Amino acid sequence: MNSVGRTERTEPLNVTVAGACAQSRHLLEVLCILQQQLLHLSDQTVCAVSEHLGLPVGQVESVVEFYSFLYKTPRGKYHILFSNCPSCGFRQDGRNLLHVLCDRLHVVAGETRADGLVSVDETSCIGMCDQGAALLVNGIPITRLDSVKIMRVAERVETEVALSDWPAEWFRVEDNIRRSGLLLKNGFAAGAGIRAALARGFDATLAEITRSGLRGRGGAGFSAGIKWALCREAQGTAHYVLCNADEGEPGTFKDRVLLHSHADAVFEGMTLCAAVIGAKQGFLYLRGEYRYLLPQLQTMLTHRREVGLLGNHILGQRGFDFDIEIVVGAGAYICGEESALIESLEGKRGVPRNRPPFPVTHGYLGQPTVVNNVETFAAAAHISLRSSAWFRAAGTEKSMGSKILSVSGDCSAPGIYEYPFGVTMRQVLDDCGARDVQAVQIGGPSGTLIGSAEFHRTLGFEDLPTGGSFMVFGHERDLLAMIVNFAHFFAHESCGFCTPCRVGTTLLKNGLDRIANGHGTQYDVDEMKRLGILVKQRSHCGLGQTAANSVLDCLHRFPHVFEQRLAQDSHEPCFDLDAALEEARRITHRDDAAAHLD
Amino acid sequence: MSAGANQPEFSPNTFTMDGIEIPFKDGQTLMDAALAAGVYIPHLCHHPGLTPHGSCKLCMVDIGSGRASSCTTPAVAGQQVSNNTPALNEARRTLTQMLFIEGNHLCPSCEKTGNCTLQAMAYHLGMLEGHFPQFFQRREVDASHSTVMLDRDRCILCELCVRASREVDGKNVFAVAGRGITARLIVNSPSGKLADSDLEIDDLAAHICPVGAILIKAHAYEIPIGWRTFDLRQIDEIGPEKVIQARVGHTDD
Ligand SMILES: Cc1cc2nc3c(=O)[nH]c(=O)nc-3n(C[C@H](O)[C@H](O)[C@H](O)COP(=O)(O)O)c2cc1C
Ligand code: SF4
Ligand code: SF4
Ligand code: FES
């Protein structure tokens, strides 16, 4: 907070801040608006926001420093973030598109060009893995990148063409629905689920949801019916419904498609939940990367209010009052963890809470709260409309219904595939046109790495649970590079609350970098295993508890991936002397042979 | 602690820790109950009377096949808890090493040496070296306050000062900002400096720091090295709580 920011005149800043505060009651949204307008959040801005909202300056500062899309130092007028997910990553046909753009624009990655026009950096997966390499420019996605398009982007930046005048085609995001099942095949008329629930009664609707066997689609697979019942029984001054649309797991984009093309079912599921638990207010927590969907979703909410599906006396039912507000995140994977999401919604850093108590009794503002995934709510709406028997007809004994998969990576038809639970991996691979597959990462970096010997395994809570990410790695892929990518992801996304994850994810990252760079020894491999187990067993929340999964899986199933990279000498120094000279080289503008040790 | 007629093994309000039966009251955590019974569980971010935090993870225990932080886990009758086992202490030693190499802890030149809970923990767990390569993070020192000094190099982000200020002192002097390995302690004042905050020398927040990150000026080395708390006794004999109590008493006079 002590850096000398840019000189800003107090008067206009106060006016700008007041304007932003008038637009939203949520600290995070106010900060996002100001970030867009001022290109950074200086110490003065932080103080002004704290004054306007009556919040401690320390709270505002702590939030600004937490979220990836909020900056203390100015970003460019064009701020470009490449998605660094291994599926949709920016390395294409052997070319690093980020470097191509940086070279063309004479900008150093992570820094803002001296004239303030442009900044280029990378960001965690933006959920466009089925659209080719992708980036965000001032928060809006551009898909299907190649070096030609990168050159065109550079031209428009240099000549300061307004984003609204860039080719609309660049911003097109396809649904790519390749296989439809229960939820995607069947149409859903707005209001149909609520009408069915009104006819049946809300108690009977809860019973129907419970009977359907619907389990959470976002992670742990907890029974939706039991969760709603627990929340309904919990005492509180108000009850809340939260829809988790943070979808931060790299390689997952099915919630993007549901929100783009099936949002009515999602909102309707939330409304049914509200009816069951007695909530008047709901929130949809939309990841910052999907902000481009906001106008469309707002229009939809407005429409639902107009036709009596939201607001007071829904469909004429006295006392059935409920409305939904959309709150947008700002770049933090941890905010998908339900209690961190609640903290974020309350205008704080997204740090997971201690449990018990659980959100169903002490959630948003300490009140009983249901948090469910986008797909869970959509399924609930369909179940209300069509019955639990219809739902149970698909799937397996412990995994009823269908699962929507986000398939990406080395296959000919990446996109959205909906299957009944119990489908084999081989079936999915055949359907998406994946040949010559080395491994599949199921459930994203936090999930399971499976090799070809086990492609007979099935997707479902009995065998391989998944939030929906299905990343295909062909034989050409360097698996170790994937593991390194994941390790960087977790170190970057750790919230920093608990010791094993805060320090452990960085140690894992450093150790894997060392091995990948050919400086690792068997000792380093053993250390990765020991550290990985500690981080997995002793971390506070699901992020840390799964952060080492891919390393441990890879050590278990693909040990040669590590072995073939190890240095022959078992006495490699842990300190890279040559790398330590990098700063000196940069300062002296030298990169000749004599400036290196090797 | 007599066994009820129908429950030969446990009276309803006890659990066992390493085979020892420990009584507890409703709502008590494993840590509360163990401390009250005089059983030491290693801990750094816990202080009786402050809201449990659960961040350092030194207090982790095994319950059957499950795992838990004892400072935040409610005691349940009949639980079988493992605490002082070689495996748990090895994991605790690794966590302590992590805390050492993440910050910049040069014990011989630190005023807190001998009174430092982190250092005492290292001795207690038989930690002989940092083991991992140092992170050498750059962290800011704040010497602006007239009587209290903040050296972030040694901060272990336990948030004891944050909670003490809010919950006991009735102020809100400290907060943690940022994320992951770049998370850092900040001061809740417009300049971000301690001098601009309402921290006073008698605040619990000024004395509760388990390491040498928050130090009282003009009182350095009043007790010579060799005669300090943990020079004389092991951490598990007294626990850090009494040290803090003594510290607050000491500067009050
Ligand atoms: C690090 C982390 C990230 C998560 N991200 C998401 C997410 O993006 N979307 C989601 O629905 N659940 C996510 N979860 C799971 C949620 O905590 C929670 O279990 C879920 O939203 C509950 O909804 P469900 O029962 O309908 O699945 C995440 C969990 C962790 C630990
Ligand atoms: S496990 Fe990681 S993300 Fe979760 S609380 Fe700990 S530091 Fe934060
Ligand atoms: S300054 Fe001390 S008490 Fe405060 S968080 Fe850091 S280590 Fe803990
Ligand atoms: S004492 Fe329990 S986590 Fe720190």
Side-chain angles (χ1 to χ4, degrees), chain A residues 214-224 227-228 242-249 252 254-255 285 287 332-341 352 355 370-377 446 461 467 489-490 493 541-546:
Chain A
L214 172 62
R215 298 172 65 166
R217 272 25 182 173
F222 194 77
S223 154
K227 189 183 274 188
W228 293 14
L242 303 188
C243 178
N244 188 342
D246 199 54
E247 190 156 72
E249 189 72 41
T252 319
K254 49 104 188 162
D255 292 343
Y285 189 94
R287 71 182 307 216
Y333 165 64
I334 188 57
C335 289
E337 195 283 337
E338 56 186 10
S339 65
L341 184 152
R355 286 168 298 176
V370 163
V371 185
N372 272 135
N373 176 252
V374 170
E375 188 181 345
T376 314
F377 281 123
S446 73
F461 297 104
F489 168 76
F490 286 114
E493 298 295 340
C541 84
L543 188 150
Q545 288 159 13
T546 58

Side-chain angles (χ1 to χ4, degrees), chain B residues 31 42-46 53-60 69-72:
Chain B
M31 175 72 81
H43 57 283
L44 287 172
C45 72
H46 184 68
H53 202 233
S55 61
C56 75
K57 299 297 176 207
L58 265 287
C59 74
M60 58 196 178
S69 307
S70 55
C71 67
T72 57

Side-chain angles (χ1 to χ4, degrees), chain A residues 334 351-352 493-498 501-502 539-545:
Chain A
I334 188 57
V351 173
E493 298 295 340
S494 163
C495 84
F497 174 74
C498 70
C501 172
R502 181 181 68 243
S539 288
H540 177 66
C541 84
L543 188 150
Q545 288 159 13

Side-chain angles (χ1 to χ4, degrees), chain A residues 43-80:
Chain A
D43 293 345
Q44 294 94 317
T45 309
V46 167
C47 288
V49 170
S50 120
E51 264 169 45
H52 270 277
L53 296 178
L55 294 172
V57 63
Q59 182 181 343
V60 180
E61 175 71 15
S62 70
V63 167
V64 169
E65 287 188 27
F66 188 84
Y67 295 91
S68 291
F69 297 163
L70 304 177
Y71 300 88
K72 289 291 293 182
T73 52
R75 296 299 104 176
K77 267 164 74 181
Y78 295 89
H79 181 46
I80 295 174

Side-chain angles (χ1 to χ4, degrees), chain B residues 29-96:
Chain B
T29 59
L30 295 170
M31 175 72 81
D32 291 338
L35 285 178
V39 173
Y40 177 70
I41 306 175
H43 57 283
L44 287 172
C45 72
H46 184 68
H47 186 75
L50 297 181
T51 307
H53 202 233
S55 61
C56 75
K57 299 297 176 207
L58 265 287
C59 74
M60 58 196 178
V61 291
D62 291 335
I63 307 174
S65 60
R67 306 175 182 98
S69 307
S70 55
C71 67
T72 57
T73 305
V76 174
Q79 267 170 333
Q80 301 192 354
V81 182
S82 305
N83 167 37
N84 192 10
T85 67
L88 279 167
N89 285 332
E90 207 229 285
R92 288 172 180 143
R93 186 161 58 237
T94 306
L95 290 183
T96 310

